[in-house]
Amino acid sequence: MTPTQILATDTVLAATGGGSLLGSVGVSGLAFAMGFLLFSGLRGSDRMKLDRDKAGILGIVFSTLSASASGMWGSVASGAAEVPRGLMEGLSFGSFGLGAVALGSCLMIFIPKWKNLWMPAFLGVGAGWTFAGAGGVWALATTLVTTMATKLGGM
């Protein structure tokens, strides 16, 4: 099992014993809601205003929830993660581990001034999946999101 699948399994097992704030929304429901918010903000909703940082963070949160939900949601996040990993590992700069890919993803999301918010959002979706696989300090973000989702949605 991958670290993401182990994290999702541990979260589901831990959440079965207690109640949740939103009832039985589940991780798939939370992933759908986060994806809808991200998509609405990117499309220019008057209620959901995005900037580069919000787009990147929402992408990371969506990806983390998608990885925990697995199925179709996990495939979306996994596919998005292949782009930055392929770009960085495919270059002839030496050996890139997932930690370097996670660092590079954060730099690409939060440093440039993006005119089009689709790029930091897409990179954020890929980064959330990469964080879980990279472990270490990168997995803290995914653990935080998954723990909060457990309390909110009763996975």
Side-chain angles (χ1 to χ4, degrees):
M1 286 177 60
T2 66
T4 305
Q5 291 169 326
I6 292 169
L7 177 66
T9 303
D10 290 347
T11 302
V12 170
L13 292 174
T16 56
S20 63
L21 185 63
L22 296 177
S24 61
V25 172
V27 70
S28 294
L30 290 174
F32 168 77
M34 191 59 58
F36 185 81
L37 288 173
L38 179 61
F39 183 74
S40 296
L42 291 172
R43 295 285 299 155
S45 170
D46 60 336
R47 300 212 178 236
M48 185 66 188
K49 303 287 184 201
L50 291 181
D51 58 17
R52 174 199 60 211
D53 295 346
K54 288 179 188 174
I57 290 170
L58 280 176
I60 292 169
V61 172
F62 169 71
S63 177
T64 303
L65 293 172
S66 297
S68 297
S70 66
M72 178 203 68
W73 297 113
S75 297
V76 168
S78 174
E82 289 300 319
V83 173
R85 183 172 21 186
L87 286 174
M88 288 182 218
E89 290 178 346
L91 299 174
S92 59
F93 292 126
S95 176
F96 272 83
L98 279 181
V101 176
L103 176 62
S105 295
C106 284
L107 293 173
M108 288 189 293
I109 293 167
F110 298 112
I111 300 300
K113 182 176 181 179
W114 293 102
K115 292 182 181 177
N116 187 341
L117 294 179
W118 285 91
M119 282 305 296
F122 180 77
L123 290 168
V125 172
W129 184 269
T130 304
F131 289 172
V137 70
W138 302 107
L140 291 175
T142 58
T143 303
L144 176 66
V145 169
T146 308
T147 302
M148 289 173 44
T150 301
K151 297 296 180 196
L152 283 175
M155 295 189 261

